[in-house]
Amino acid sequence: MSTSNSNPRPSTGPRVSAPARPPQRPAAPSAAQRPTNSRPALVKPAPKAKARRARLLVSKIDPWSVLKMAFLLSVALGIVTVVASIVLWTVLDLTGVFEKVNSLMTDIQGSEGGGFDLKKFASLGQVASFATIIAVVNVVLLTALSMLSAVLYNISATLVGGIGLTLTDD
């Protein structure tokens, strides 16, 4: 048995490579060689994949994240409350509702009552102050109730297991 190596050794001398040729384009087919119908599709479209489904379980809600989100949303709701009350008062004043209410109350009381002025009881400053107080109370209550709800959900989820969700990929 002779042991001969069939792999030749690489030469250690300098290599000389042939000059690179630019690739040649194939000649365009003439009108007689072109097919008359449209060319067939080379690649078939991939079959539509089935929608993936994942069944998940909401077993815990972080009370700190609920607190932050509830605070942010309740502050936004408070700002909307104050702005809406100011806009509503302004619209009522511009349309003359306060004067009509004043004349109605004067007709009901008679001239002996000395007249009635609704703007004394509900001026713009008083309405804005009342709306601001309501907004601050709502911020505190909504934030506290949201955090309490998250804690109660976590307690009940440990007993029951949480809420099951099925998510699909369409």
Side-chain angles (χ1 to χ4, degrees), residues 36-120:
T36 57
N37 58 359
S38 64
R39 55 183 151 152
L42 298 177
V43 178
K44 292 181 183 177
K48 187 172 181 180
K50 292 182 181 178
R52 295 185 301 175
R53 297 180 134 213
R55 184 157 167 81
L56 302 174
L57 191 69
V58 180
S59 60
K60 184 177 186 288
I61 298 175
D62 185 27
W64 179 247
S65 66
V66 170
L67 178 82
K68 292 186 292 185
M69 185 61 80
F71 178 74
L72 180 70
L73 292 176
S74 61
V75 165
L77 182 66
I79 291 170
V80 167
T81 302
V82 172
V83 170
S85 65
I86 291 171
V87 167
L88 180 64
W89 189 92
T90 306
V91 167
L92 290 176
D93 187 32
L94 291 175
T95 56
V97 171
F98 293 131
E99 287 79 22
K100 291 179 183 177
V101 170
N102 288 340
S103 66
L104 177 66
M105 291 302 287
T106 303
D107 290 343
I108 291 173
Q109 289 180 351
S111 60
E112 300 143 2
F116 179 77
D117 190 17
L118 184 59
K119 285 188 180 178
K120 280 185 186 176

